[in-house]
Amino acid sequence: MKEQEPTAGDVPIAPLPGRAAREAGRFVHHVTDDRWEWDDDVHALLGHRPGAVRPSTELLLSAAHEHDRELVADGLEHARSEGTPFTLYFRAVVGERVRRVVLVGEGEYDDVARVGGPADRLAGYYLDLTPELEHESAAAADAAVAASAAARDTIEQAKGILMLAYGLEPDAAFAMLRWWSRNRNVKVREVAERLIQVARDGHVSHPGLRRLLDALLDDLTARRSD
């Protein structure tokens, strides 16, 4: 009897040939003086050599695809004024390439007792989902969830959680699962199971779900720099 080959849901997704070693970076936006801090990975993600340009709102908006620029500008303005967790999923034009970028963050305050309202800072991450979306296909998506009904249900549930928490489209939610799988070298199904457990611990309807998932993202991203 021929041994069944493992599917993408059962094994870690191997790094793609020629892919960058890092596809996530941290940022801090100081709202009062409109000053940005990008780590080297954000500079690289947006096509700049670290230190070659001064990070700014204008530079970020100029990198956004013309059809997404208003979305990014409005999203940042809302995040500054409300301080609540936010997600911006947009196309960034880097040279001749178009990258699919997710900007994840939330407001921070100098007065730790403050909750909500105009933020003193926005802090979070840039994620580049381009490799996952560029190399995704219907066959690859089917393979990732074909191991069993249980695996399929788990991955679909995790996709739903990401769509709910981050406002992502189904393809982008699956790409984020694959991003975690590649960068943590774990199975897609295991990432999905961990995500579901985090959501259950915080209750899916709880307003803190987004922060629980952000904490998971922080953990996964921080370990990549070890």
Side-chain angles (χ1 to χ4, degrees):
M1 180 176 179
K2 183 178 179 180
E3 184 178 353
Q4 183 178 2
E5 294 183 0
T7 71
D10 290 318
V11 298
I13 298 176
L16 298 171
R19 73 185 275 124
R22 301 291 293 277
E23 286 159 356
R26 298 173 184 248
F27 75 87
V28 177
H29 174 41
H30 301 271
V31 174
T32 304
D33 55 0
D34 194 22
R35 179 169 53 87
W36 289 79
E37 298 174 13
W38 293 346
D39 68 12
D40 289 353
D41 297 304
V42 174
H43 279 278
L45 191 155
L46 295 179
H48 306 297
R49 287 186 296 104
V53 296
R54 181 178 180 179
S56 67
T57 302
E58 291 73 19
L59 195 60
L60 170 60
L61 292 179
S62 68
H65 189 283
E66 60 179 343
H67 292 156
D68 295 343
R69 204 164 290 154
E70 184 175 354
L71 177 150
V72 175
D74 290 348
L76 286 175
E77 180 57 34
H78 185 268
R80 294 186 192 105
S81 61
E82 299 296 329
T84 52
F86 66 93
T87 302
L88 298 175
Y89 176 49
F90 63 98
R91 292 164 291 180
V93 181
V94 181
E96 297 182 354
R97 293 195 65 196
V98 175
R99 295 183 178 274
R100 302 282 179 162
V101 176
V102 177
L103 191 63
V104 177
E106 66 177 319
E108 294 183 345
Y109 301 92
D110 294 331
D111 180 357
V112 295
R114 283 181 59 196
V115 178
D120 295 309
R121 289 174 304 282
L122 301 179
Y125 311 91
Y126 285 78
L127 302 181
D128 182 6
L129 300 184
T130 309
E132 280 66 35
L133 289 165
E134 283 186 345
H135 294 266
E136 188 55 84
S137 65
D142 290 343
V145 297
S148 66
R152 181 169 61 252
D153 290 346
T154 297
I155 293 173
E156 288 299 319
Q157 186 176 348
K159 281 172 55 181
I161 290 170
L162 289 174
M163 291 166 65
L164 172 66
Y166 291 105
L168 296 174
E169 299 170 353
D171 287 350
F174 186 58
M176 185 174 279
L177 287 175
R178 288 169 59 87
W179 183 92
W180 267 322
S181 174
R182 291 186 189 280
N183 287 283
R184 293 297 294 127
N185 194 33
V186 296
K187 303 172 185 176
V188 172
R189 188 185 70 250
E190 290 179 2
V191 174
E193 289 170 348
R194 172 80 184 279
L195 204 59
I196 291 169
Q197 187 60 52
V198 168
R200 285 175 176 166
D201 290 345
H203 308 293
V204 170
S205 61
H206 192 281
L209 169 63
R210 169 58 189 271
R211 286 191 169 87
L212 289 170
L213 296 183
D214 283 352
L216 174 61
L217 176 60
D218 178 72
D219 174 61
L220 294 174
T221 307
R223 292 185 184 183
R224 296 178 70 231
S225 62
D226 293 346

